[in-house]
PDB file of all heavy atoms in Angstrom:
ATOM      1  N   SER A 282      19.054 -22.501  18.633  1.00 53.00           N
ATOM      2  CA  SER A 282      18.551 -21.836  19.836  1.00 53.00           C
ATOM      3  C   SER A 282      18.739 -20.321  19.733  1.00 53.00           C
ATOM      4  O   SER A 282      17.908 -19.560  20.196  1.00 53.00           O
ATOM      5  CB  SER A 282      19.238 -22.384  21.085  1.00 53.00           C
ATOM      6  OG  SER A 282      20.633 -22.118  21.025  1.00 53.00           O
ATOM      7  N   SER A 283      19.813 -19.870  19.082  1.00 51.00           N
ATOM      8  CA  SER A 283      20.021 -18.432  18.943  1.00 51.00           C
ATOM      9  C   SER A 283      18.989 -17.830  18.002  1.00 51.00           C
ATOM     10  O   SER A 283      18.547 -16.705  18.192  1.00 51.00           O
ATOM     11  CB  SER A 283      21.439 -18.140  18.454  1.00 51.00           C
ATOM     12  OG  SER A 283      21.626 -18.660  17.158  1.00 51.00           O
ATOM     13  N   ASN A 286      15.825 -17.306  19.980  1.00 56.00           N
ATOM     14  CA  ASN A 286      15.937 -16.176  20.893  1.00 56.00           C
ATOM     15  C   ASN A 286      15.771 -14.853  20.153  1.00 56.00           C
ATOM     16  O   ASN A 286      15.146 -13.932  20.655  1.00 56.00           O
ATOM     17  CB  ASN A 286      17.281 -16.199  21.620  1.00 56.00           C
ATOM     18  CG  ASN A 286      17.364 -17.330  22.632  1.00 56.00           C
ATOM     19  OD1 ASN A 286      16.346 -17.821  23.090  1.00 56.00           O
ATOM     20  ND2 ASN A 286      18.587 -17.735  22.962  1.00 56.00           N
ATOM     21  N   LYS A 288      14.036 -14.322  17.452  1.00 55.00           N
ATOM     22  CA  LYS A 288      12.632 -14.160  17.076  1.00 55.00           C
ATOM     23  C   LYS A 288      11.811 -13.678  18.251  1.00 55.00           C
ATOM     24  O   LYS A 288      10.933 -12.839  18.103  1.00 55.00           O
ATOM     25  CB  LYS A 288      12.064 -15.486  16.549  1.00 55.00           C
ATOM     26  CG  LYS A 288      12.580 -15.864  15.185  1.00 55.00           C
ATOM     27  CD  LYS A 288      11.975 -17.165  14.711  1.00 55.00           C
ATOM     28  CE  LYS A 288      12.536 -17.583  13.360  1.00 55.00           C
ATOM     29  NZ  LYS A 288      11.973 -18.858  12.901  1.00 55.00           N
ATOM     30  N   LYS A 293       8.856  -9.154  20.899  1.00 57.00           N
ATOM     31  CA  LYS A 293       8.683  -8.280  22.054  1.00 57.00           C
ATOM     32  C   LYS A 293       8.822  -6.818  21.633  1.00 57.00           C
ATOM     33  O   LYS A 293       8.070  -5.970  22.086  1.00 57.00           O
ATOM     34  CB  LYS A 293       9.702  -8.619  23.144  1.00 57.00           C
ATOM     35  CG  LYS A 293       9.410  -9.929  23.847  1.00 57.00           C
ATOM     36  CD  LYS A 293      10.446 -10.224  24.915  1.00 57.00           C
ATOM     37  CE  LYS A 293      10.180 -11.563  25.588  1.00 57.00           C
ATOM     38  NZ  LYS A 293      11.203 -11.887  26.592  1.00 57.00           N
ATOM     39  N   GLN A 300       2.782  -2.158  17.383  1.00 73.00           N
ATOM     40  CA  GLN A 300       2.628  -2.552  15.997  1.00 73.00           C
ATOM     41  C   GLN A 300       1.948  -3.917  15.936  1.00 73.00           C
ATOM     42  O   GLN A 300       2.588  -4.949  15.896  1.00 73.00           O
ATOM     43  CB  GLN A 300       3.989  -2.611  15.303  1.00 73.00           C
ATOM     44  CG  GLN A 300       4.673  -1.267  15.225  1.00 73.00           C
ATOM     45  CD  GLN A 300       6.069  -1.391  14.644  1.00 73.00           C
ATOM     46  OE1 GLN A 300       6.562  -2.484  14.455  1.00 73.00           O
ATOM     47  NE2 GLN A 300       6.702  -0.278  14.374  1.00 73.00           N
ATOM     48  N   PRO A 316      -7.782  10.436   2.067  1.00 92.00           N
ATOM     49  CA  PRO A 316      -7.592  11.288   0.885  1.00 92.00           C
ATOM     50  C   PRO A 316      -8.763  11.222  -0.099  1.00 92.00           C
ATOM     51  O   PRO A 316      -9.107  12.234  -0.706  1.00 92.00           O
ATOM     52  CB  PRO A 316      -6.326  10.729   0.233  1.00 92.00           C
ATOM     53  CG  PRO A 316      -5.602  10.061   1.334  1.00 92.00           C
ATOM     54  CD  PRO A 316      -6.649   9.519   2.245  1.00 92.00           C
ATOM     55  N   ILE A 317      -9.396  10.071  -0.217  1.00 94.00           N
ATOM     56  CA  ILE A 317     -10.542   9.949  -1.119  1.00 94.00           C
ATOM     57  C   ILE A 317     -11.687  10.826  -0.621  1.00 94.00           C
ATOM     58  O   ILE A 317     -12.322  11.541  -1.409  1.00 94.00           O
ATOM     59  CB  ILE A 317     -10.970   8.471  -1.240  1.00 94.00           C
ATOM     60  CG1 ILE A 317      -9.878   7.674  -1.936  1.00 94.00           C
ATOM     61  CG2 ILE A 317     -12.297   8.342  -1.977  1.00 94.00           C
ATOM     62  CD1 ILE A 317     -10.077   6.182  -1.906  1.00 94.00           C
ATOM     63  N   ILE A 318     -11.947  10.798   0.681  1.00 94.00           N
ATOM     64  CA  ILE A 318     -13.004  11.642   1.244  1.00 94.00           C
ATOM     65  C   ILE A 318     -12.648  13.120   1.073  1.00 94.00           C
ATOM     66  O   ILE A 318     -13.509  13.942   0.734  1.00 94.00           O
ATOM     67  CB  ILE A 318     -13.232  11.286   2.726  1.00 94.00           C
ATOM     68  CG1 ILE A 318     -13.818   9.882   2.833  1.00 94.00           C
ATOM     69  CG2 ILE A 318     -14.144  12.298   3.400  1.00 94.00           C
ATOM     70  CD1 ILE A 318     -13.884   9.342   4.243  1.00 94.00           C
ATOM     71  N   ILE A 320     -10.840  14.485  -1.328  1.00 95.00           N
ATOM     72  CA  ILE A 320     -11.019  14.852  -2.734  1.00 95.00           C
ATOM     73  C   ILE A 320     -12.495  15.048  -3.049  1.00 95.00           C
ATOM     74  O   ILE A 320     -12.877  15.991  -3.758  1.00 95.00           O
ATOM     75  CB  ILE A 320     -10.384  13.781  -3.645  1.00 95.00           C
ATOM     76  CG1 ILE A 320      -8.861  13.833  -3.521  1.00 95.00           C
ATOM     77  CG2 ILE A 320     -10.810  13.966  -5.098  1.00 95.00           C
ATOM     78  CD1 ILE A 320      -8.153  12.653  -4.157  1.00 95.00           C
ATOM     79  N   PHE A 325     -17.035  18.617  -4.310  1.00 94.00           N
ATOM     80  CA  PHE A 325     -18.366  19.130  -3.991  1.00 94.00           C
ATOM     81  C   PHE A 325     -18.319  20.638  -3.785  1.00 94.00           C
ATOM     82  O   PHE A 325     -19.209  21.356  -4.232  1.00 94.00           O
ATOM     83  CB  PHE A 325     -18.922  18.464  -2.728  1.00 94.00           C
ATOM     84  CG  PHE A 325     -19.837  17.300  -3.011  1.00 94.00           C
ATOM     85  CD1 PHE A 325     -19.475  16.024  -2.625  1.00 94.00           C
ATOM     86  CD2 PHE A 325     -21.060  17.482  -3.646  1.00 94.00           C
ATOM     87  CE1 PHE A 325     -20.307  14.946  -2.878  1.00 94.00           C
ATOM     88  CE2 PHE A 325     -21.908  16.415  -3.906  1.00 94.00           C
ATOM     89  CZ  PHE A 325     -21.525  15.136  -3.516  1.00 94.00           C
ATOM     90  N   PRO A 333     -25.066  20.498 -15.141  1.00 83.00           N
ATOM     91  CA  PRO A 333     -24.899  21.759 -15.888  1.00 83.00           C
ATOM     92  C   PRO A 333     -26.267  22.339 -16.268  1.00 83.00           C
ATOM     93  O   PRO A 333     -27.216  21.625 -16.557  1.00 83.00           O
ATOM     94  CB  PRO A 333     -24.114  21.330 -17.124  1.00 83.00           C
ATOM     95  CG  PRO A 333     -24.373  19.873 -17.268  1.00 83.00           C
ATOM     96  CD  PRO A 333     -24.615  19.345 -15.887  1.00 83.00           C
TER      97      PRO A 333
END
Side-chain angles (χ1 to χ4, degrees):
S282 62
S283 64
N286 289 337
K288 288 181 182 179
K293 288 180 182 178
Q300 296 175 351
I317 294 170
I318 293 171
I320 290 169
F325 263 115

